[in-house]
Amino acid sequence: MKATALRDELKRKQNPEKGEILQRFFKTGPGQYGEGDIFWGLTVPETRAIVAKFPKMPLEEIELLLIDPVHEVRLAAGILLVNKFKKATNSERQAIYEFYIVHASRFNNWDLVDVTCPQIVGVWLLDKDRKQLYELAASSNLWEQRISIVSTFALIRNNDFEDCMNISKMLLNHKHDLIQKAVGWMLREMGKRNFLVETEFLIENDRYKTMPRTMLRYAIEKYPEHQRQAFLKGEM
């Protein structure tokens, strides 16, 4: 089975010392967002190099990787899906997208979300109804919520900002810093393409005064210093 062979290759590359560092970095302690996650200590390039040896992994075997308790194995599953999606026919892309949505909660750390969802969910929805993004944003699952906003990166790259702004409104007062950072990041990316649109969004209804400070700092990171300070002081 290809999935078993890929997992075995990943395991042979494990670095326990680095694994311990990654488990602290990705907050795997009791009560933390990555509680219980296991790291073998591979770098992303190492994982990608192993994944490249298995270009035709079927979805049913990718599913086995995606439910694995080891972080790098799930990362490999996500990279496989992205690679598969890039080369797929339209009907195959639909199947991969639907597979992703069904298994969305298995992309259960911020790197797993960020590496995959813009290139699958976002790209698939470029010319389609975006209802699924709003359902994900309304979920009680942290990772599905992050998928909803980070997926808009693909839309932003096409100068399509409406869904980014709408979902940002839905998540504007979120308590978790992983969502605050993600929303701020997408607003910043929107601003790189249209400075006025981002500025108007922040100023409208004094959103910049009510959104979490972390979100605001991420959103205005690329602003000229005098404007950044004006936002931070509530003087815009």
Side-chain angles (χ1 to χ4, degrees):
M1 184 178 286
K2 292 179 180 178
T4 302
L6 188 153
R7 190 183 192 278
D8 287 345
E9 284 214 36
L10 291 170
K11 190 173 184 179
R12 282 194 289 272
K13 284 279 189 179
Q14 66 181 307
N15 181 333
E17 184 177 338
K18 186 166 184 181
E20 290 183 11
I21 294 171
L22 290 173
Q23 286 189 201
R24 290 194 296 272
F25 180 75
F26 283 98
K27 309 295 184 185
T28 63
Q32 295 181 311
Y33 63 75
E35 181 176 359
D37 207 353
I38 299 167
F39 283 80
W40 278 343
L42 281 77
T43 65
V44 174
E46 285 173 333
T47 301
R48 288 188 182 278
I50 292 170
V51 165
K53 299 177 183 180
F54 300 87
K56 296 184 179 180
M57 185 85 67
L59 286 179
E60 56 267 27
E61 292 203 44
I62 293 177
E63 184 174 28
L64 296 176
L65 299 172
L66 199 53
I67 62 175
D68 198 276
V70 177
H71 188 96
E72 289 90 345
V73 178
R74 299 197 307 283
L75 176 61
I79 295 169
L80 281 165
L81 285 174
V82 170
N83 293 348
K84 198 176 185 72
F85 187 88
K86 288 177 180 177
K87 299 177 180 178
T89 64
N90 193 62
S91 61
E92 290 168 342
R93 284 188 166 197
Q94 181 174 357
I96 294 166
Y97 164 77
E98 291 173 353
F99 175 92
Y100 189 101
I101 295 300
V102 167
H103 297 87
S105 63
R106 295 305 302 165
F107 297 90
N108 53 355
N109 217 311
W110 58 264
D111 61 322
L112 304 181
V113 169
D114 298 356
V115 163
T116 58
C117 72
Q119 300 185 70
I120 296 176
V121 179
V123 170
W124 176 253
L125 296 178
L126 280 173
D127 58 353
K128 298 174 183 67
D129 183 86
R130 316 288 173 64
K131 179 182 176 182
Q132 186 66 63
L133 293 181
Y134 295 86
E135 292 179 1
L136 291 167
S139 168
S140 60
N141 182 278
L142 176 70
W143 309 115
E144 292 183 354
Q145 291 175 322
R146 188 169 173 109
I147 288 169
S148 73
I149 185 63
V150 177
S151 292
T152 67
F153 201 174
L155 311 179
I156 292 167
R157 286 169 172 158
N158 279 263
N159 295 311
D160 184 346
F161 307 134
E162 183 177 358
D163 296 291
C164 173
M165 291 189 287
N166 288 340
I167 292 170
S168 294
K169 291 175 189 176
M170 292 178 67
L171 301 175
L172 198 71
N173 297 307
H174 204 287
K175 302 301 182 185
H176 204 293
D177 71 334
L178 285 180
I179 300 300
Q180 296 171 13
K181 290 174 181 178
V183 172
W185 171 26
M186 289 304 105
L187 292 174
R188 184 177 73 230
E189 291 300 328
M190 185 175 73
K192 287 180 182 178
R193 290 154 180 84
N194 194 316
F195 176 79
L196 290 178
V197 169
E198 182 189 3
T199 303
E200 288 172 4
F201 177 85
L202 294 173
I203 292 174
E204 184 182 36
N205 298 323
D206 285 337
R207 283 195 189 96
Y208 78 98
K209 293 182 180 179
T210 59
M211 65 171 51
R213 201 71 164 175
T214 296
M215 187 183 294
L216 176 62
R217 287 185 180 278
Y218 269 65
I220 63 174
E221 185 178 302
K222 299 298 182 181
Y223 274 66
E225 182 61 19
H226 70 283
Q227 287 183 315
R228 202 174 69 82
Q229 289 300 322
F231 272 112
L232 292 173
K233 294 174 183 177
E235 298 173 352
M236 286 297 291

